[in-house]
Amino acid sequence: MTLQQGLAFGLVGLTIVAFIWGRFRYDLIALGALVLGLAIGVIPAEAAFDGFRNDVTVIIAAALVVSAAFARSGIVEMALKRVLPLLKTERSQTPVLTVAVTLLSMVTKNVGALAIMMPVALQVSRKTGSSPSRLLMPMAFGAMAGGMVTLVGTAPNIIVAEVRADLLGQPFGMYDYAPVGLALTAMALVFLAFGYRLLPTDRKGAVGLGEALAANGYATEARAPEGWTSPNPTIKGLSMVGDGEVRILALIRGQKRTANPRGNHKVLPGDTLLIEGGPAALESFLTASHLQLVREDRPVMLEQPTDEVQVIEAVIGRNSPLSGQSVRAADLYGQYGVNLIGVSRSGYELTQKLRSARLQAGDVILLQGGEAGLPTALKALDLLPLAEREVRLGSVRKRFLPAVVLAIAMTLVGFGVLPVAIAFFGAAVVIVALGGLKMREAYGALDGPLLILIACLIPVSDAIQKTGGADLIAAGMSGLFTHLPGVLAVGGLMLASMAVTPFLNNAATVLIVAPIGASLATQLGYNPNAFLMAVAVGAACDFLTPIGHQCNTLVMGPGGYRFGDYARLGAPLSLLVLLAGPPLILMVWPL
């Protein structure tokens, strides 16, 4: 072992120990590893920032933006609208929701697919009384399994493709993972459809900040536009559209106001409804019912053409000039160019027209305005903004845009017209440019810690390979597998990836193990494809802990899971993948 190899091993070993210790953030550890590698000379200065311009980083960032646009569009909720009311018990809920998130994770990044479907699952859980712990972990495992099917489904696939490009001059294509991934995913879905019974039913999920803030609904007004039609244009019919999460407080027709209208009362074009609900529920209700938010037709005044429209929540302070004034008298639009689109008052139900309601200190209001002008209005009116959360009421959804753009991008990649990085980067830009996502939302969708981790560890992993460290480890491993069947060598490498991933990030695992796997294949005289595929599968299947994969971490709080709960369902699933994976890989990628 040379000095440079020893230093490279020491750097990687120190990084792994820091990850396992958990004392520092993993993105900070990755940054520190990059700086230390530069300091000891195993990473050349000219290669320090190769990770930031690597295709892997670009593809993952673009996939996160596309996933966020899917979540924003509401197309998933629309596709499941007719199915969800039929899901009465866990026996039907778990398989259907798991299949839905699995299919979605095949075309978007798996953690993004899970983030889209989690609110749907929690809504089903609340309505039927099912335990969230029986729904969320199978969905997380399904998302990870579905991510194995395509190049962009999970970070390990993207990184392994880049390693193959460096070694063989040709990366794995968009659908090269599909034969193995589809078979393993089908097996995982069958297991999860029944195996969810291994999970406890008594776990209490943590209440998120957004859910706590949504406890008190907002009162706002929605108008039936001219020419408005509905299959069931009655109060009862519209209440059903709101799925019980939106209340119709009053119907206003001309100058006549009817509080708490009867269910058979028919709604006509031109009528205004005073409705109450959380921002997300109100937005879904307006989209499904085709009603228009009152004041939505008044354009927000923007200081600069590049400003974006924003909706924020704020509390009326004790000394606010709004206290004691009606919404009409306050004239927020005339004075500040902002729209007041909702009011929430604890313990009091508004039944009069919103513009006639007198505001009070302590009321929470929804304001729609330009991002540059809202701070001025908040300060002048003594309004205290609430903790930041995403509020989309009053904005426009581009329902089919993300799906169409993504389909075009994947088609271009499939026919070899564009490289993956260019296609997905272009898809993200087009979606934002056409209004499928605001720039502020696109920036928010980027997972900064993950991107930093990958960009910093790419030069660190390259140090192992360029100093000959990967060949050295592979030489030691080849002695174990020289006289054994190739399927055991592939399975051994998959087991190594699965064992390391729970203690590292799966992307970090691939960056370290993939070059070792390629060197091992070369020294054994085998084709590297099967070994690289084994690394990708092993790193993607982290079913044992809540810390190795973002999907597992995402469901831990809402599902109320404990650390050991993951092994209940994850250990048998990991064993199935380990037994079935190597033979499947060798059927598609012979040695």
Side-chain angles (χ1 to χ4, degrees), residues 562-577:
R562 299 171 186 169
F563 196 97
D565 290 338
Y566 288 83
R568 288 193 185 192
L569 188 65
L573 181 56
S574 298
L575 182 60
L576 287 174
V577 171

Side-chain angles (χ1 to χ4, degrees), residues 474 477-483 486 489 519-526 531:
M477 294 179 66
S478 66
L480 299 174
F481 298 109
T482 299
H483 302 294
S519 296
L520 175 62
T522 301
Q523 295 192 25
L524 291 174
Y526 294 138
F531 288 77

Side-chain angles (χ1 to χ4, degrees), residues 209-221:
L209 178 60
E211 187 177 346
L213 291 175
N216 290 327
Y218 285 94
T220 189
E221 292 175 338

Side-chain angles (χ1 to χ4, degrees), residues 215-581:
N216 290 327
Y218 285 94
T220 189
E221 292 175 338
R223 180 183 296 116
E226 294 300 323
W228 176 79
T229 58
S230 173
N232 190 2
T234 62
I235 296 297
K236 182 179 180 180
L238 291 173
S239 297
M240 293 174 64
V241 172
D243 287 331
E245 296 189 0
V246 174
R247 297 177 58 207
I248 300 177
L249 304 177
L251 183 146
I252 303 166
R253 181 173 296 163
Q255 300 301 316
K256 183 180 179 181
R257 175 177 56 84
T258 304
N260 298 315
R262 294 178 180 275
N264 61 357
H265 204 122
K266 192 173 182 179
V267 179
L268 304 176
D271 287 350
T272 298
L273 298 176
L274 181 65
I275 56 179
E276 182 184 60
L282 289 172
E283 185 201 18
S284 297
F285 173 76
L286 292 173
T287 302
S289 64
H290 304 292
L291 298 173
Q292 292 180 350
L293 188 68
V294 174
R295 286 167 298 281
E296 190 177 43
D297 55 342
R298 297 196 299 188
V300 171
M301 297 181 183
L302 303 177
E303 293 188 7
Q304 299 291 335
T306 54
D307 285 352
E308 292 183 343
V309 177
Q310 190 176 0
V311 178
I312 63 170
E313 301 166 287
V315 179
I316 297 177
R318 183 177 59 181
N319 299 318
S320 172
L322 294 180
S323 182
Q325 287 201 62
S326 67
V327 175
R328 176 193 296 171
D331 191 22
L332 296 180
Y333 185 79
Q335 294 188 60
Y336 301 100
V338 299
N339 289 323
L340 190 152
I341 59 176
V343 177
S344 177
R345 180 175 301 165
S346 179
Y348 179 76
E349 186 178 279
L350 294 173
T351 56
Q352 72 267 46
K353 289 184 178 181
L354 194 59
R355 63 181 180 177
S356 303
R358 289 195 175 274
L359 303 174
Q360 299 177 5
D363 286 351
V364 184
I365 58 177
L366 282 176
L367 292 178
Q368 180 193 55
E371 59 183 342
L374 275 173
T376 302
L378 291 174
K379 183 177 180 180
L381 297 170
D382 188 26
L383 300 176
L384 179 66
L386 289 179
E388 185 176 353
R389 66 165 172 160
E390 196 171 22
V391 179
R392 294 166 174 164
L393 185 62
S395 58
V396 178
R397 288 188 179 190
K398 302 286 187 178
R399 176 147 282 175
F400 298 102
L401 175 65
V404 172
V405 173
L406 179 61
I408 294 173
M410 295 188 73
T411 302
L412 293 175
V413 171
F415 284 100
V417 177
L418 290 176
V420 178
I422 299 298
F424 271 76
F425 178 76
V429 172
V430 169
I431 286 172
V432 174
L434 295 181
L437 208 64
K438 296 178 181 178
M439 280 300 298
R440 183 178 64 255
E441 294 171 329
Y443 285 126
L446 297 176
D447 188 340
L450 175 64
L451 297 175
I452 289 293
L453 171 80
I454 292 171
C456 290
L457 287 189
I458 284 175
V460 173
S461 66
D462 284 347
I464 291 288
Q465 187 176 357
K466 290 178 180 178
T467 60
D471 294 335
L472 192 65
I473 295 176
M477 294 179 66
S478 66
L480 299 174
F481 298 109
T482 299
H483 302 294
L484 295 176
V487 68
L488 292 182
V490 173
L493 193 63
M494 182 182 295
L495 176 61
S497 298
M498 294 177 74
V500 173
T501 297
F503 304 101
L504 302 181
N505 181 280
N506 59 356
T509 298
V510 174
L511 287 168
I512 294 170
V513 179
I516 296 173
S519 296
L520 175 62
T522 301
Q523 295 192 25
L524 291 174
Y526 294 138
N527 191 315
N529 287 327
F531 288 77
L532 292 175
M533 194 65 65
V535 173
V537 171
C541 295
D542 174 25
F543 303 129
L544 297 177
T545 72
I547 56 176
H549 197 285
Q550 291 168 302
C551 287
N552 288 347
T553 307
L554 192 61
V555 300
M556 188 175 187
Y561 297 118
R562 299 171 186 169
F563 196 97
D565 290 338
Y566 288 83
R568 288 193 185 192
L569 188 65
L573 181 56
S574 298
L575 182 60
L576 287 174
V577 171
L578 192 58
L579 292 174

Side-chain angles (χ1 to χ4, degrees), residues 14-216:
L14 187 61
T15 303
I16 292 174
V17 169
F19 278 130
I20 296 174
W21 185 26
R23 177 65 177 81
F24 302 101
R25 292 169 52 108
Y26 61 77
D27 49 342
L28 181 59
I29 294 171
L31 288 165
L34 177 59
V35 172
L36 183 57
L38 289 167
I40 62 178
V42 297
I43 299 177
E46 61 272 14
F49 305 114
D50 284 355
F52 290 92
R53 56 176 176 261
N54 195 284
D55 283 358
V56 172
T57 311
V58 175
I59 294 169
I60 292 174
L64 290 169
V65 173
V66 173
S67 296
F70 259 86
R72 175 71 185 91
S73 70
I75 191 171
V76 175
E77 293 94 327
M78 185 186 72
L80 294 174
K81 183 178 179 181
R82 297 187 181 277
V83 177
L84 292 178
L86 305 176
L87 307 181
K88 303 297 184 182
T89 65
E90 294 172 354
R91 185 179 299 177
S92 58
Q93 292 165 1
T94 302
V96 170
L97 292 172
T98 302
V99 168
V101 74
T102 301
L103 293 175
L104 188 59
S105 67
M106 295 179 187
V107 294
T108 62
K109 197 172 185 300
N110 52 14
V111 68
L114 181 60
I116 294 170
M117 290 300 301
M118 267 183 59
V120 178
L122 292 173
Q123 182 183 22
V124 170
S125 173
R126 286 195 303 270
K127 289 182 178 180
T128 63
S130 300
S131 173
S133 63
R134 290 291 190 99
L135 303 179
L136 296 182
M137 192 184 295
M139 290 173 62
F141 289 179
M144 284 188 276
M148 294 189 290
V149 176
T150 61
L151 175 66
V152 297
T154 184
N157 288 359
I158 300 171
I159 298 171
V160 165
E162 188 69 19
V163 172
R164 185 177 187 263
D166 292 339
L167 295 174
L168 305 178
Q170 181 69 30
F172 284 123
M174 174 68 78
Y175 306 107
D176 284 347
Y177 299 90
V180 174
L182 284 171
L184 291 177
T185 298
M187 181 191 69
L189 288 175
V190 172
F191 170 77
L192 292 171
F194 302 96
Y196 74 90
R197 295 179 175 89
L198 297 171
L199 293 169
T201 59
D202 58 348
R203 299 289 186 258
K204 300 291 184 182
V207 178
L209 178 60
E211 187 177 346
L213 291 175
N216 290 327

